Amino acid sequence: RVPRALPCISIEEHEMKLGRIEALKSQHSRLETELAAMAKRPFPEPELITRLKRQKLLVKDQLVAAGVMSPRPERAMVFSH
């Protein structure tokens, strides 16, 4: 097997990517905290929870694409009898 050559990027590009990754991690953590707080409310807002979950998944997908997080597990298939 021939090893693939890594793309050459400048230090500035590398630092920009690291900054972007850190910003995404921070955003993911903030959304997780918001969702946990929402779950504790006596009357959580379903539309807001859905929006926050979608945002969190979009951020996670970006982190997966950057190679920082593992992909979402596939949902288990449910069979009814």
Side-chain angles (χ1 to χ4, degrees):
R1 240 164 113 178
V2 178
R4 292 188 316 181
L6 295 174
C8 293
I9 61 171
S10 69
I11 292 172
E12 292 82 13
E13 287 175 309
H14 180 69
E15 288 174 352
M16 281 179 25
K17 284 184 181 185
L18 288 178
R20 175 76 176 134
I21 288 169
E22 288 306 314
L24 288 169
K25 284 180 178 180
S26 176
Q27 185 179 7
H28 188 269
S29 178
R30 181 184 54 79
L31 290 165
E32 212 165 57
T33 301
E34 284 185 50
L35 282 165
M38 279 280 187
K40 292 179 183 177
R41 287 185 179 179
F43 301 102
E45 300 172 48
E47 298 84 17
L48 181 56
I49 290 172
T50 299
R51 187 172 54 91
L52 291 173
K53 285 183 177 183
R54 283 187 181 145
Q55 287 177 356
K56 184 180 165 196
L57 288 174
L58 288 172
V59 170
K60 184 172 182 178
D61 287 345
Q62 292 176 37
L63 288 167
V64 168
V68 178
M69 285 185 121
S70 56
R72 291 186 257 171
E74 294 298 320
R75 292 186 179 192
M77 296 184 87
V78 178
F79 296 98
S80 59
H81 291 59

